[in-house]
């Protein structure tokens, strides 16, 4: 079945540690995205990528980094510079980044940093 | 002003009634919209898309787009407890979302 796989589902880290969240898709989509969601809040865009080896910052990119070495994969690293990293992280993909292309979401990773 | 605005709710609707969810937007260039449903603790899923002015019906759901007034709405007929979720509005040509309206269907 085609879809987006995020792993792990739950992740616990100590403050000061970097952590990488995995996102893999087999939908052959060109564009991929990372969003952050805090309790009771909407989705905020962290980074997005329209094509391999290229990505752009979203609204809240500070303290995060990404790579897009393969079309299928778009990992997100939460660095120690991110002041409030505890959140629900959602990865998504679409056929193209614009022009009426809906987003398909993974099941999310819930990160807790203590 | 946010580009897409939704009332955060919660909107409480009795079972069997019509739930009406609204979204206003500021960019007149937005031509089409998506509605996503997000259950608590889960990821959003696309439930409706509307690409032109007017109404689009799909089962119990009707999406309405009014470009002159810059609002888009989602009507849910015969509301069921399983409709309790947060509903997110998004312009189709962008990668931003409204903050969502939390809908609660009471028995």
């Amino acid at each position: 079945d085609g879809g987006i796989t995020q792993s792990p589902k739950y992740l616990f880290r100590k403050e000061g540690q970097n952590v990488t969240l995995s996102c893999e898709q087999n939908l052959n989509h060109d564009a991929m995205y990372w969003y952050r969601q805090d309790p009771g809040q909407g989705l905020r865009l962290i980074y997005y990528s329209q094509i391999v080896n290229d990505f752009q910052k979203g609204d809240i990119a500070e303290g995060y980094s990404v790579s897009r070495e393969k079309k299928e994969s778009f990992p997100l690293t939460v660095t120690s510079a991110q002041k409030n990293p505890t959140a629900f992280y959602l990865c998504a993909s679409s056929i193209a980044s614009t022009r009426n292309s809906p987003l398909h979401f993974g099941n999310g990773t819930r990160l807790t940093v203590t | 002003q946010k580009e897409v605005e939704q009332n955060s709710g919660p909107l409480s609707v009795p079972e069997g009634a019509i739930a009406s969810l609204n979204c206003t937007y500021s960019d007149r260039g937005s031509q089409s919209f998506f509605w996503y449903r997000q259950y608590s603790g889960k990821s959003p899923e696309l439930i409706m898309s509307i690409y032109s002015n007017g109404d689009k019906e799909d089962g119990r759901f009707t999406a309405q787009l009014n470009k002159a007034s810059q609002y888009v709405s989602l009507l849910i007929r015969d509301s069921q407890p399983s409709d309790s979720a947060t509903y997110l509005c998004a312009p189709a040509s962008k990668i931003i979302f409204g903050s969502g309206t939390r809908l609660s269907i009471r028995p």
Side-chain angles (χ1 to χ4, degrees):
Chain A
D1 287 337
I4 301 176
T5 301
Q6 289 188 245
S7 61
K9 187 173 181 180
Y10 298 97
L11 192 53
F12 298 89
R13 280 294 182 270
K14 294 290 187 184
E15 195 173 315
Q17 293 179 332
N18 291 355
V19 60
T20 297
L21 282 59
S22 170
C23 178
E24 304 277 333
Q25 54 100 359
N26 60 5
L27 299 167
N28 199 33
H29 284 172
D30 291 312
M32 297 187 74
Y33 316 82
W34 275 105
Y35 292 89
R36 168 185 173 137
Q37 189 173 39
D38 294 286
Q41 304 297 312
L43 278 66
R44 291 188 290 169
L45 182 64
I46 305 172
Y47 269 99
Y48 66 102
S49 169
Q50 298 172 285
I51 196 169
V52 174
N53 292 322
D54 188 42
F55 48 81
Q56 287 77 42
K57 293 182 179 180
D59 299 323
I60 56 165
E62 185 176 348
Y64 300 97
S65 65
V66 294
S67 63
R68 186 87 186 277
E69 297 175 2
K70 299 186 300 182
K71 186 175 183 177
E72 302 79 18
S73 179
F74 192 40
L76 173 74
T77 296
V78 184
T79 75
S80 56
Q82 168 51 232
K83 294 188 181 352
N84 297 297
T86 295
F88 187 44
Y89 290 88
L90 287 159
C91 179
S93 70
S94 66
I95 294 172
S97 63
T98 58
R99 302 296 176 232
N100 304 333
S101 178
L103 271 60
H104 299 254
F105 286 87
N107 289 331
T109 292
R110 199 167 296 277
L111 173 65
T112 302
V113 177
T114 57
Chain B
Q1 181 188 7
K2 290 184 181 178
E3 193 161 347
V4 179
E5 300 224 36
Q6 295 183 255
N7 188 323
S8 62
L11 175 65
S12 182
V13 173
E15 186 175 352
I18 296 175
S20 178
L21 305 160
N22 297 311
C23 172
T24 59
Y25 60 96
S26 58
D27 182 2
R28 286 195 171 273
S30 294
Q31 300 291 310
S32 312
F33 285 84
F34 299 130
W35 280 99
Y36 294 82
R37 177 177 62 200
Q38 185 178 24
Y39 291 116
S40 180
K42 303 296 185 182
S43 58
E45 56 178 336
L46 180 72
I47 56 169
M48 285 288 284
S49 56
I50 184 162
Y51 297 108
S52 59
N53 230 18
D55 295 2
K56 178 184 176 183
E57 187 175 319
D58 184 0
R60 294 186 299 112
F61 297 95
T62 299
Q64 299 174 319
L65 175 58
N66 184 322
K67 293 182 183 178
S69 301
Q70 294 179 250
Y71 79 80
V72 56
S73 60
L74 180 70
L75 302 178
I76 306 175
R77 289 181 299 282
D78 188 23
S79 296
Q80 303 296 309
S82 60
D83 296 324
S84 296
T86 296
Y87 290 80
L88 304 166
C89 165
S93 60
K94 300 178 186 284
I95 48 178
I96 59 170
F97 290 81
S99 57
T101 297
R102 190 155 55 96
L103 175 65
S104 176
I105 307 300
R106 58 181 190 270

